[in-house]
């Protein structure tokens, strides 16, 4: 008989060198100093940071550093072979080798146990009882992110949109660059490799912007995400029966803010860290909770993943330029895979199906109602759309956050029982929630003005501001280690 107790979620490596740790900040300082000390010699500066990235990844997954280096060699070789050949069969072979190698490793490490168990369970329903094979392995950290990066590189070369680099070190630097290695953003070679070919020049404005983003990311992570996780969200999901329906709803609002501040905070630190090397990474968020529809939400949330699936899956399937039924299928499949990308569990399957249904329904209504009527709205109608979209996101994340079916049903059931009472929600929790959402809904120009003001400050004043922030974060930081949410993906 197969076991019903095997975990469906892949096991991730233990947290090491978190961005909100002193270890990471010291590591970043040493890497930046070494990079600029060697700035005049491109080979040495790239080799130094590549070595730092390997050390960084080894601290997370020492057994799996060979996997990421294997992906580097595979896609470097495949791209060169594709570009060198004019024979379609040869070009398809190397493209297939790249896809099979990368997706094969991702499938084995991330999805093998889930699908093996699901297959055994399906056989059990028809009376065939088998023991599902089980791989007791850690999920290589960052594999979902760097796999998509290397695939996009090979596909872009195959499409003729990018010439492959002859420099293996440049490509290895791009794939393993440690600020975005573990949880993105997913960086295209077309936007990153050209930056490596220009001469390194230290720009005070870029350094100031980088420091501001790092500070912003740490503030989001420590003061908002971790605080809500420890004091509200984890408690509600661990034992929903101990809370009223109203408190569970507040917990869902808390998780919605937590996951945004956690993931966008990581992205801020990653982008800020890259800027200290004189490099720019793409933005990954655009005030997603101000979205007016599910489609608008996915244009604003995890933008590098959404655009990757659009360009390398949705469009190649035909996008919307096919028969309407086929267009709905393409859209639904893409959104379903977004859900499944996040993890190998039935809760993520349901989450993906919910997103797919919402996107298909929105497209259907969008086409039937006419584009003008849906895009030109009064302020009250826009506010209503934002509110409806936000609550769709909040409620769908019951499946995203829950540890399994039983947990999801317990949270959903408690939410529907109509009980009221907010005794478990303290004043400090209300303050964090209100401040977090208020900051999120501020116009984007407000953040840009604040960033510009910091960049224009003299270096000593910047140092004082950062020291004050660091002191405040040390006073408010949780005693518990709260890993970044997207590290598990």
């Amino acid at each position: 008989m197969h076991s019903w107790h095997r975990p469906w979620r892949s096991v991730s490596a233990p947290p090491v060198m978190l961005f909100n740790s002193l270890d990471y900040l010291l590591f970043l300082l040493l890497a930046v100093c070494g990079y600029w000390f060697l700035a005049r010699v491109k080979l040495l500066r790239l080799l130094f940071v590549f070595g730092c990235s390997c050390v960084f990844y080894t601290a997370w997954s020492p057994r799996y550093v060979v996997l990421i280096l294997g992906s580097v060699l595979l896609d470097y070789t495949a791209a060169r072979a594709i570009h060198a050949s004019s024979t379609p069969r040869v070009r398809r072979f190397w493209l297939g080798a790249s896809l099979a190698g990368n997706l094969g490793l991702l499938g084995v490490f991330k999805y093998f146990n889930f699908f093996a168990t699901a297959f055994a369970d399906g056989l059990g329903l028809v009376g065939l009882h088998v023991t599902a094979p089980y791989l007791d392995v850690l999920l290589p950290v960052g594999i979902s992110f760097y796999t998509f990066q290397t695939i996009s590189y090979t596909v872009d070369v195959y499409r003729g949109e990018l010439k492959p680099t002859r420099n293996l070190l440049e490509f290895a630097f791009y794939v393993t660059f440690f600020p975005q290695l573990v949880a993105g953003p997913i960086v295209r070679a077309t936007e990153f490799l050209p930056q490596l070919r220009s001469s390194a020049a230290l720009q005070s404005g870029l350094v100031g912007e980088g420091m501001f983003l790092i500070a912003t990311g740490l503030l989001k992570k420590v003061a908002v995400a971790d605080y809500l996780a420890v004091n509200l969200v984890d408690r509600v999901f661990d034992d929903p029966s101990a809370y009223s329906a109203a408190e569970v709803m507040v917990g869902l609002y808390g998780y919605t803010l937590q996951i945004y501040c956690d993931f966008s905070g990581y992205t801020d630190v990653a982008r800020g860290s890259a800027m200290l090397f004189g490099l720019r990474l793409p933005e990954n968020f655009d005030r997603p909770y101000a979205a007016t529809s599910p489609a608008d939400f996915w244009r604003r949330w995890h933008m590098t993943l959404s655009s990757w699936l659009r360009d390398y899956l949705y469009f190649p399937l035909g996008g919307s330029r096919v028969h309407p039924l086929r267009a709905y299928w393409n859209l639904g499949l893409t959104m379903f895979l977004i859900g499944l990308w996040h993890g190998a569990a039935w809760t993520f399957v349901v989450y993906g199906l919910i997103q797919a249904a919402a996107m298909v329904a929105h497209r259907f209504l969008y086409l039937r109602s006419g584009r003008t009527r849906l895009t030109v709205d009064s302020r009250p109608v826009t506010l209503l759309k934002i509110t409806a979209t936000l609550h769709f996101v909040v409620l769908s994340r019951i499946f995203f956050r829950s540890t399994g079916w039983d947990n999801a049903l317990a949270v959903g059931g408690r939410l529907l029982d109509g009980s009221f009472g907010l005794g478990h929600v303290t004043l400090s929790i209300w303050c964090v929630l209100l401040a977090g959402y208020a900051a999120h809904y501020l116009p984007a120009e407000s953040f840009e003005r604040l960033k510009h003001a910091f960049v224009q400050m003299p270096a000593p004043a910047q140092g004082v501001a950062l020291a004050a922030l660091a002191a405040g974060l040390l006073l408010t930081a949780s005693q518990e280690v709260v890993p970044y949410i997207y590290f598990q993906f």
Side-chain angles (χ1 to χ4, degrees):
M1 292 289 289
H2 60 276
S3 170
W4 291 90
H5 303 291
R6 288 174 177 167
W8 280 331
R9 293 174 186 262
S10 300
V11 179
S12 297
V16 179
M17 211 180 292
L18 296 173
F19 275 8
N20 55 321
S21 69
L22 183 60
D23 289 346
Y24 174 76
L25 296 178
L26 291 175
F27 177 82
L28 176 63
L29 177 62
L30 292 174
V32 169
C33 290
Y35 178 84
W36 289 111
F37 180 75
L38 301 169
R40 293 186 178 182
V41 184
K42 178 181 176 181
L43 173 64
L44 293 181
R45 71 171 186 264
L46 293 186
L47 188 61
F48 176 76
V49 176
F50 170 68
C52 290
S53 298
C54 289
V55 170
F56 180 84
Y57 195 75
T58 300
W60 283 90
S61 299
R63 292 185 295 173
Y64 295 141
V65 68
V66 66
L67 294 181
I68 190 170
L69 295 181
S71 291
V72 168
L73 291 175
L74 170 63
D75 288 281
Y76 174 81
T77 303
R80 292 290 303 277
I82 290 170
H83 183 70
S85 176
S86 59
T87 305
R89 180 174 57 83
V90 174
R91 290 166 55 82
R92 287 194 299 268
F93 169 81
W94 282 105
L95 176 64
S98 171
L99 295 175
N102 286 292
L103 295 178
L105 286 175
L106 182 63
V108 168
F109 282 98
K110 191 167 183 176
Y111 299 104
F112 178 84
N113 290 338
F114 171 70
F115 284 112
T117 302
F119 182 71
D121 290 345
L123 292 178
L125 294 176
V126 297
L128 299 176
H129 301 292
V130 298
T131 300
Y134 183 76
L135 294 179
D136 187 14
V137 294
L138 292 174
L139 177 66
V141 174
I143 190 171
S144 298
F145 293 90
Y146 72 71
T147 293
F148 275 25
Q149 285 197 185
T150 57
I151 287 176
S152 70
Y153 173 76
T154 310
V155 173
D156 285 349
V157 172
Y158 180 81
R159 291 174 173 174
E161 299 173 358
L162 174 69
K163 289 186 178 180
T165 177
R166 295 175 177 271
N167 191 323
L168 176 60
L169 181 58
E170 281 186 356
F171 184 63
F173 185 106
Y174 153 66
V175 176
T176 64
F177 188 46
F178 69 86
Q180 49 76 226
L181 176 59
V182 177
I186 299 171
V187 185
R188 309 278 183 97
T190 50
E191 57 194 359
F192 190 85
L193 286 179
Q195 298 183 65
L196 300 184
R197 293 165 187 154
S198 58
S199 58
L202 187 61
Q203 304 174 34
S204 60
L206 197 59
V207 171
E209 185 178 353
M211 293 170 62
F212 178 83
L213 285 177
I214 291 173
T216 301
L218 293 177
L219 181 65
K220 288 180 181 178
K221 170 63 175 171
V222 176
V224 181
D226 288 1
Y227 183 87
L228 291 174
V230 172
N231 294 284
L232 175 65
V233 177
D234 291 351
R235 296 179 183 182
V236 169
F237 276 87
D238 287 346
D239 187 12
S241 63
Y243 296 85
S244 69
E247 289 169 335
V248 170
M249 192 67 205
V250 174
L252 291 174
Y253 288 134
Y255 181 64
T256 300
L257 183 59
Q258 177 204 345
I259 193 173
Y260 168 74
C261 289
D262 190 280
F263 193 16
S264 71
Y266 174 93
T267 302
D268 289 342
V269 177
R271 295 180 67 233
S273 299
M275 288 177 181
L276 301 184
F277 294 94
L279 302 170
R280 289 189 178 274
L281 302 179
E283 181 57 88
N284 217 13
F285 297 90
D286 181 18
R287 298 169 68 233
Y289 301 146
T292 57
S293 69
D296 190 26
F297 172 77
W298 283 106
R299 284 190 291 267
R300 295 166 174 261
W301 175 273
H302 204 344
M303 292 151 56
T304 57
L305 173 64
S306 299
S307 63
W308 194 100
L309 287 169
R310 178 197 66 201
D311 295 342
Y312 299 103
L313 178 65
Y314 180 66
F315 285 164
L317 288 174
S320 59
R321 300 189 178 189
V322 291
H323 187 277
L325 292 179
R326 178 65 182 274
Y328 287 130
W329 165 259
N330 293 343
L331 180 60
L333 177 63
T334 302
M335 296 311 303
F336 169 72
L337 291 178
I338 281 183
L340 194 60
W341 177 90
H342 285 90
W346 286 111
T347 47
F348 286 121
V349 170
V350 173
Y351 179 78
L353 290 173
I354 291 172
Q355 301 304 316
M359 290 286 281
V360 169
H362 173 262
R363 176 176 173 79
F364 176 77
L365 295 173
Y366 179 79
L367 294 176
R368 283 182 62 87
S369 300
R371 299 185 179 188
T372 302
R373 290 177 58 191
L374 279 180
T375 55
V376 181
D377 289 325
S378 63
R379 183 170 297 179
V381 172
T382 299
L383 182 61
L384 181 62
K385 287 185 175 183
I386 292 174
T387 303
T389 302
L390 173 64
H391 283 83
F392 164 74
V393 171
V394 169
L395 295 174
S396 68
R397 282 194 171 136
I398 292 175
F399 293 97
F400 193 99
R401 170 60 177 79
S402 296
T403 55
W405 275 115
D406 291 343
N407 190 221
L409 293 175
V411 172
R414 192 60 171 168
L415 190 64
L416 294 174
D417 73 6
S419 57
F420 192 81
L422 296 169
H424 290 96
V425 186
T426 64
L427 177 60
S428 58
I429 291 175
W430 283 118
C431 290
V432 172
L433 285 171
L434 292 174
Y437 276 107
H440 182 78
Y441 285 108
L442 283 175
E445 294 78 12
S446 300
F447 178 80
E448 291 300 320
R449 285 196 295 269
L450 184 62
K451 181 173 67 176
H452 179 74
F454 178 85
V455 172
Q456 295 301 313
M457 291 169 60
Q462 290 179 345
V464 170
L466 293 175
L469 175 64
L473 292 179
L474 286 174
L475 292 175
T476 59
S478 168
Q479 297 300 312
E480 302 179 34
V481 176
V482 185
Y484 285 89
I485 294 171
Y486 267 71
F487 280 8
Q488 66 180 297
F489 307 138

